[in-house]
Amino acid sequence: KPLVLDFTLKRIINKTNIPMKRIVLLLMAVLAMGSEINAQTRFEKAKVAIRNYLRENLDDYKSYEPVRYSKLDSLFTSIEDDFSFNVEFDRVHNCTQRLKELGLDLSVNESDERIDRMIASANSILAQIEAEPNKYVVGAATNFKLQKIELESLKRYNSYLKKAMDNFKPKFVGWKMKHKFRSKNTYGGTTLGEYLFEFDKNIKVINMKYIEE
C-alpha cells in the first residue's frame, strides 16, 4: 500500500506540478478532518446512548433536563479491577491485620526498610529472651516469633504486590463521559447531579456512577 500511495502521489505531482510538501499537508488535513468527524459522531452517539439509558432508569424521565456534557474520553481497565493485583493486595492487607493483633501497626504500603528494622528488633528481643527467660512474661517469645513470621511474610507479599503493579498494562475497553442533569425523584423533588457514564467500544452504556462534589 505505501508503494501504491507513493506512485499515485508521483503521478499527481507530475500532472499538476504541485510540490510534494503541499500534497502531504493536504492529505494530513483531510485525515485530521476525518478524525474530527469521527470524534464528533461518537460524541453525539454517546449523548443519545445516555438519553436512552436515562429513559429506562430515571424515576421521571419527562422531568429530565440536561445541563452539560464533558468531552468523550477513552476508557481503560483499572488496576483495581486486575485479578493479580487484588489477590496480592488482599494478602498484604490480611497480613497487616494479623500484625495488628500482635501489637504492630503497619500500613499496606509499608517500606521494606521499616519492615527490616522491625524484623531485626524482633530478633534482638528473642535473643534477649533466650539469654534471660526469667525476665520476660510467659508467652513473650511466642509473640515475637509470630511477629517475625508475619513481618517476613509481609515483606514477601509486598514484593508480589509491586510486581503485579509493574506488570499491569491498561487496556482500552470503551469510552467515558460526564453528564450533569436535573430530574425529579420518586418524591417529586427536583435533583441536580453529575454522573460518569461508561460505555463499551460500541458506545453502549455499561455503567453510571454518581460524582461526589
Side-chain angles (χ1 to χ4, degrees), residues 12-156:
I12 294 173
I13 292 169
N14 291 334
K15 289 186 176 183
T16 62
N17 294 321
I18 300 175
M20 170 69 84
K21 185 177 181 180
R22 182 174 294 180
I23 292 175
V24 171
L25 290 174
L26 287 171
L27 285 173
M28 290 176 64
V30 170
L31 291 173
M33 187 180 298
S35 177
E36 186 175 344
I37 291 172
N38 286 335
Q40 185 64 24
T41 301
R42 284 195 298 268
F43 179 78
E44 294 301 328
K45 189 175 180 180
K47 288 169 65 176
V48 172
I50 287 175
R51 289 197 295 270
N52 290 338
Y53 182 85
L54 294 177
R55 184 178 288 108
E56 295 179 2
N57 292 278
L58 283 181
D59 294 318
D60 183 1
Y61 179 74
K62 291 181 179 180
S63 66
Y64 165 68
E65 180 186 343
V67 176
R68 67 166 176 261
Y69 296 90
S70 71
K71 67 177 182 178
L72 186 67
D73 287 325
S74 298
L75 178 65
F76 294 90
T77 53
S78 170
I79 193 168
E80 285 80 9
D81 301 322
D82 183 72
F83 176 77
S84 296
F85 170 82
N86 281 300
V87 168
E88 303 307 338
F89 182 88
D90 287 343
R91 284 181 176 177
V92 172
H93 175 73
N94 292 336
C95 196
T96 59
Q97 293 303 303
R98 291 192 296 271
L99 282 165
K100 193 171 184 178
E101 293 174 358
L102 293 170
L104 297 179
D105 191 10
L106 291 93
S107 62
V108 171
N109 58 346
E110 203 63 64
S111 67
D112 287 346
E113 290 76 12
R114 188 179 179 215
I115 295 173
D116 286 337
R117 289 197 299 269
M118 297 180 85
I119 292 173
S121 177
N123 283 330
S124 176
I125 295 173
L126 284 169
Q128 294 175 28
I129 294 173
E130 186 176 351
E132 301 178 281
N134 294 330
K135 288 187 176 181
Y136 295 86
V137 298
V138 177
T142 300
N143 186 73
F144 285 105
K145 285 178 182 177
L146 290 173
Q147 284 186 4
K148 180 184 175 183
I149 291 171
E150 292 297 343
L151 285 166
E152 290 172 344
S153 296
L154 179 60
K155 185 177 179 180
R156 184 170 65 256

Side-chain angles (χ1 to χ4, degrees), residues 166-181:
D166 291 338
N167 290 339
F168 175 74
K169 298 292 186 294
K171 296 179 181 178
F172 172 74
V173 291
W175 308 90
K176 60 182 179 180
M177 174 190 282
K178 294 178 183 178
H179 177 41
K180 191 170 188 177
F181 62 88

